[in-house]
Amino acid sequence: MNRTRRLAALFLIMSMIAAMLAIPASANATTDTALFNFENGSQSFTGTGGAALSASSEQAYAGAQSLKMSVNVTGASTSPFAKLSNPAGLAAGSTYEFHIWVPSGANIAGIQPYMMDKNWSWTGALVSYSSLTKDSWNTLTLTIPAAALNPFNELGVQLQTSGDFNGSIYIDSIGLVGGAPVETPSPASLSDLRVNGVTVAGFSDKNLSYIAHVPNATTSAAITAATTDSAATAVVSGGSNLAVGENEVSVLVTAKDLTTKTYTIKLIRDLPGGGSNHINVQGTKFYAGHEPIWFNGANTPWDNWNDFGGDFDFSFWDTHFQQLHDNGVNATRVWITSNGEVGIDIDESGHVSGATAAHWNDLDSLFYLAQKHGVYIMATLMSFDHMKDSHPNYNSWRNMLMNDANIDSYVTNYVIPFTNRYKDNPYLWSIDFMNEPDWVFEESKLPWEQLQKLFAKMNVAVHGNSHVLTTVGIAMVKYNSGTCTEGCQGNKVGDTELMGAVGGNALAKLDFWAPHYYDWMGQYWGVPMYVTPEQFGLSADRPAVIGETAALGTTGHKLEQDYFSAYANGWQGMMPWTSNGVDWLGDLTKVGPAASSFYSQHQALVFPPIHSNDASLSDLQIDGVTVAGFSAGTTSYSVEVPIKTKEVTVTATATDAKSTVTVVGGAKLKKIPNTVTVLVTAEDGTQRTYTLTVNRVKSNVASLSDLQVNGVQVTGFNPNVLAYSIQLPSEATSVSVTATALDAQAKVHINNVKKLKAGANTITVRVKAEDGTELTYSIIVTRG
């Protein structure tokens, strides 16, 4: 439906015409409030590469002094620098002014303000000498990249000469564009805050509260904090012995002057994935594992437009999902990006390189909360809003759609990472590729062929990497059908169309239909809740849900009636717009009572019982010893037992106490390989079979467990050492050697010396294993 989704936003487009601006000399009469004004000296700037620095009153852009950079170099050079190490008070993403005075007639090629961040990444803004106003002040600008990492390593000015130069330039009044004052970080602040070596998303020294996630398997996290002031201390509390769910971590920073600041992290140990409640399709119905489910749903498209990577509010989603569940709502449709303005990294050409850390972190929270409250998510990845003229970046998204390589970049660098990141969360019910692409065709005048190519490639990517279901939220059924009652254009997202866009690949098929309906459509195509999906014009070979409809109810009907009638007519879910009142079409006061009424009569269908599908083992033993290399995920093993073994006892322990275990085999072993199977049946009926191949073999152990001379073990005996030497007195005329085989089945033969001769005598001990393997130990006995 073509309607205004939100209040119009006011966009301010700023454009920089030049990197420098000549300033009249009279400006130096003003007071200098810049971060670096050099009124009290050089402010720790140092000169290198033939440059010497000093505070000087010879020139001043503002106030009474500037930084004089006296240079004496021979020939062309790029090494004169005025630099400040470990600059404080700078902000990533901000633009700074440098006011620089240059003399006329100098062998100067150019001047460059620059900075280097924590990783020594260089950012510079070179201005040629020919572009500068001579014998006057010039304003040069430097924008610090938003991705630059604190603490920064260096800030300064580089002079490039074109020949011999013995002269001076002057630097003054370095600060934010427009001379705005810069807030110096508190001495009790942090310059970095990390969880397991990764800086928390959205870190800023001024932001005191964060959310971070660790995998369910993580029971302890390393929290590291770097203070802005080296004299400050940081004490971390929390991070160890993590409970599943939300944990509180705090970092108390104490400055040298004893002022303090506390940073907090809501550290979430994610809930376990898997489970029997993953949604699948069987015929024309949905199942949560083995149990049928009907989506008694809603739309919660956004809280704040472009929530994820934008203004995400954890508390809102936490509270609202609980409210939905309490009202019998088991699913909601959420717009992952509202118009692509934040979150996804896309350039002007339409190439998508990925997504921001904040985007992923906010989505981690969304899916954690969905799982926490038992609310299934239909994740709508994009909307026609991305390509509307009113969107400032619409050309980027149109360029993405209209270029096959750019479509591939979106799929490879965003759709696949999204799918793989959340596919194990059972509450990612489905991915809705685009909200109402009809309007991309009708309003933006972009062809269906490119939309079909986009959807087909997204489908192949999702299905090739997961079992997550897919759909497209078509606004008007005329684009979703060849049999609707009026003006049918054919199913633009049908199997033939999407498969044809990717060379016939069957993975391009959508898993279910999700058309939208609003009352203005009824005159053309009827009201879907009161007819079957097939009568509405959809193919009857898969499930169908009503993906959007006004929460006010259809004309002449209450919303409660719409729910019950949609169910009775074979629709597999209905999702009113909206549960949280983003416009005038309804909110939870409308959705809640209607959804609760349906739930009260279909409780098991809305919230099916969740049975464990864990059919794994936690231990597998043979004759009381765990099988070597056992792992719950490995189902095949081979073990050897002595040839005389007639029977083995296999014991298996299920990971889930509600699972049953059946062991078959192990008795009356034959000489040929013997198979023992362990069948594990989970609570929901899921089964897994572990297989043990038991081989009866003759022992090949031909080593000794003991070797003695005259009743005393040979010094340094080791079963793996075959040669030994001993010394006996000259009066010794005989020796007694005894040996014990490590394996009782091995045979030992000792070649003893009956009478020792003077000098060296060799005694051998030959060990023959059960399978014929032999080892010979030797003892050199020296008499005298």
Side-chain angles (χ1 to χ4, degrees):
M1 186 176 80
N2 185 8
R3 64 179 181 274
T4 303
R5 295 285 192 188
R6 62 191 290 226
L7 295 176
L10 179 61
F11 295 96
L12 179 60
I13 301 175
M14 302 182 66
S15 130
M16 297 186 72
I17 299 174
M20 61 85 194
L21 176 68
I23 304 297
S26 61
N28 65 8
T30 64
T31 301
D32 195 344
T33 59
L35 178 62
F36 302 108
N37 55 37
F38 309 109
E39 295 302 301
N40 296 307
S42 62
Q43 292 189 245
S44 300
F45 276 75
T46 59
T48 61
L53 305 182
S54 61
S56 172
S57 59
E58 296 169 6
Q59 300 287 348
Y61 166 77
Q65 291 193 145
S66 65
L67 183 67
K68 182 178 182 179
M69 181 178 182
S70 301
V71 179
N72 187 358
V73 296
T74 301
S77 175
T78 59
S79 59
F81 285 87
K83 66 181 183 181
L84 174 65
S85 298
N86 304 313
L90 304 178
S94 297
T95 301
Y96 292 85
E97 296 176 334
F98 291 67
H99 300 95
I100 300 178
W101 187 98
V102 295
S104 57
N107 286 329
I108 296 175
I111 293 178
Q112 176 168 216
Y114 75 94
M115 62 81 58
M116 288 187 282
D117 74 356
K118 180 178 180 178
N119 293 331
W120 298 98
S121 296
W122 171 282
T123 298
L126 181 66
V127 178
S128 68
Y129 181 65
S130 61
S131 299
L132 298 171
T133 302
K134 316 305 185 291
D135 300 319
S136 186
W137 287 99
N138 300 267
T139 299
L140 280 60
T141 60
L142 175 72
T143 299
I144 298 177
L149 297 178
N150 261 309
F152 301 147
N153 271 308
E154 204 166 285
L155 175 78
V157 173
Q158 177 191 27
L159 179 66
Q160 297 186 1
T161 64
S162 57
D164 295 352
F165 179 64
N166 187 355
S168 300
I169 67 170
Y170 298 86
I171 304 166
D172 200 9
S173 196
I174 302 173
L176 282 170
V177 166
V182 178
E183 180 182 350
T184 302
S186 161
S189 65
L190 293 179
S191 60
D192 195 15
L193 179 59
R194 300 189 174 209
V195 175
N196 290 337
V198 179
T199 299
V200 292
F203 176 77
S204 162
D205 65 289
K206 300 176 183 63
N207 184 6
L208 301 182
S209 180
Y210 300 91
I211 298 170
H213 291 257
V214 294
N216 173 259
T218 302
T219 58
S220 182
I223 313 299
T224 54
T227 58
T228 302
D229 186 342
S230 60
T233 60
V235 177
V236 176
S237 299
S240 60
N241 299 319
L242 296 177
V244 173
E246 295 150 49
N247 300 266
E248 295 300 323
V249 174
S250 65
V251 181
L252 174 64
V253 185
T254 304
K256 187 176 181 179
D257 63 3
L258 299 185
T259 58
T260 62
K261 186 181 290 186
T262 300
Y263 294 77
T264 62
I265 305 173
K266 185 187 296 292
L267 185 57
I268 299 172
R269 180 183 169 192
D270 286 333
L271 301 169
S276 66
N277 54 329
H278 275 281
I279 303 301
N280 62 88
V281 170
Q282 298 180 34
T284 59
K285 295 185 177 182
F286 294 109
Y287 284 76
H290 298 286
E291 302 289 337
I293 186 171
W294 197 84
F295 286 112
N296 199 38
N299 273 262
T300 317
W302 61 81
D303 168 37
N304 297 303
W305 183 258
N306 286 316
D307 293 77
F308 310 109
D311 191 13
F312 176 77
D313 185 340
F314 185 96
S315 178
F316 163 79
W317 291 98
D318 192 11
T319 300
H320 195 69
F321 280 169
Q322 183 63 58
Q323 291 171 335
L324 292 178
H325 192 279
D326 290 346
N327 281 274
V329 175
N330 64 355
T332 192
R333 179 170 173 259
V334 179
W335 290 20
I336 302 304
T337 61
S338 297
N339 66 354
E341 194 172 348
V342 301
I344 298 181
D345 296 320
I346 184 171
D347 64 21
E348 293 181 0
S349 74
H351 177 82
V352 174
S353 56
T356 65
H359 180 74
W360 292 127
N361 195 64
D362 292 345
L363 285 178
D364 290 347
S365 294
L366 175 78
F367 285 106
Y368 160 75
L369 292 170
Q371 188 173 3
K372 173 183 176 182
H373 296 293
V375 176
Y376 286 98
I377 299 294
M378 178 192 287
T380 301
L381 295 192
M382 65 170 65
S383 173
F384 69 87
D385 298 80
H386 287 60
M387 299 171 196
K388 286 176 62 174
D389 289 350
S390 59
H391 171 28
N393 296 330
Y394 76 93
N395 266 330
S396 294
W397 288 99
R398 291 186 182 182
N399 289 338
M400 184 281 291
L401 180 65
M402 295 306 295
N403 181 280
D404 291 357
N406 286 340
I407 289 176
D408 290 340
S409 74
Y410 174 68
V411 171
T412 300
N413 298 326
Y414 183 73
V415 177
I416 291 176
F418 177 92
T419 301
N420 285 330
R421 194 176 185 105
Y422 303 114
K423 65 184 180 183
D424 292 329
N425 186 316
Y427 287 90
L428 173 56
W429 155 34
S430 61
I431 297 176
D432 174 13
F433 293 146
M434 180 180 286
N435 172 65
E436 301 187 348
D438 322 42
W439 309 117
V440 176
F441 171 72
E442 292 203 355
E443 293 183 345
S444 301
K445 309 302 180 185
L446 301 180
W448 273 111
E449 290 76 12
Q450 286 302 114
L451 288 164
Q452 289 164 344
K453 191 174 297 183
L454 171 66
F455 301 151
K457 290 185 175 184
M458 293 172 76
N459 242 332
V460 171
V462 174
H463 289 147
N465 287 276
S466 74
H467 295 291
V468 177
L469 305 182
T470 62
T471 192
V472 175
I474 298 292
M476 297 172 285
V477 72
K478 71 175 184 177
Y479 291 121
N480 208 174
S481 172
T483 61
C484 64
T485 54
E486 185 173 331
C488 294
Q489 303 296 308
N491 191 352
K492 300 300 184 182
V493 290
D495 296 346
T496 300
E497 288 73 16
L498 297 189
M499 289 171 59
V502 284
N505 192 331
L507 294 179
K509 295 180 181 180
L510 295 175
D511 295 300
F512 65 97
W513 311 124
H516 298 177
Y517 174 79
Y518 291 89
D519 276 337
W520 68 268
M521 302 175 180
Q523 59 187 316
Y524 305 111
W525 306 297
V527 184
M529 299 79 161
Y530 298 90
V531 296
T532 67
E534 189 173 14
Q535 289 170 333
F536 192 57
L538 302 175
S539 65
D541 59 345
R542 68 202 69 187
V545 301
I546 298 167
E548 269 191 36
T549 188
L552 304 175
T554 57
T555 300
H557 304 98
K558 294 181 178 179
L559 185 62
E560 178 182 359
Q561 294 174 295
D562 290 342
Y563 274 111
F564 279 96
S565 185
Y567 170 68
N569 279 295
W571 294 88
Q572 296 305 305
M574 192 178 86
M575 312 188 78
W577 181 281
T578 68
S579 66
N580 62 325
V582 300
D583 55 23
W584 52 272
L585 290 170
D587 55 25
L588 197 58
T589 64
K590 303 294 184 182
V591 174
S596 294
S597 178
F598 184 87
Y599 167 64
S600 68
Q601 297 188 35
H602 301 281
Q603 294 185 16
L605 193 59
V606 174
F607 292 116
I610 299 175
H611 302 295
S612 171
N613 68 345
D614 189 345
S616 67
L617 292 178
S618 61
D619 194 17
L620 179 61
Q621 296 186 351
I622 184 167
D623 290 337
V625 178
T626 298
V627 173
F630 173 75
S631 169
T634 303
T635 57
S636 295
Y637 300 90
S638 180
V639 297
E640 294 181 347
V641 296
I643 191 69
K644 293 183 178 181
T645 304
K646 302 299 184 180
E647 181 175 300
V648 293
T649 301
V650 174
T651 54
T653 305
T655 304
D656 190 326
K658 295 179 181 179
S659 298
T660 59
V661 177
T662 303
V663 179
V664 178
K668 297 181 180 180
L669 299 180
K670 301 176 182 179
K671 290 183 179 181
I672 61 175
N674 300 268
T675 300
V676 180
T677 60
V678 180
L679 176 65
V680 188
T681 303
E683 183 187 20
D684 74 342
T686 299
Q687 293 185 324
R688 179 182 294 182
T689 300
Y690 293 79
T691 302
L692 271 170
T693 300
V694 181
N695 297 293
R696 298 170 65 205
V697 296
K698 292 182 177 181
S699 172
N700 65 352
V701 177
S703 56
L704 294 176
S705 63
D706 192 20
L707 180 61
Q708 296 187 1
V709 174
N710 294 335
V712 178
Q713 188 178 71
V714 173
T715 301
F717 173 74
N718 184 307
N720 298 316
V721 177
L722 302 181
Y724 300 90
S725 296
I726 64 172
Q727 184 79 34
L728 293 179
S730 58
E731 59 269 20
T733 59
S734 63
V735 68
S736 174
V737 175
T738 58
T740 305
L742 185 62
D743 186 342
Q745 306 304 319
K747 305 298 182 182
V748 178
H749 176 74
I750 302 174
N751 182 20
N752 258 315
V753 176
K754 293 182 179 180
K755 186 175 182 180
L756 295 177
K757 63 181 180 179
N761 300 262
T762 299
I763 300 173
T764 59
V765 179
R766 182 165 56 87
V767 187
K768 187 175 184 179
E770 188 180 23
D771 71 348
T773 301
E774 291 189 3
L775 285 178
T776 299
Y777 293 77
S778 64
I779 306 172
I780 297 176
V781 180
T782 302
R783 177 185 169 203

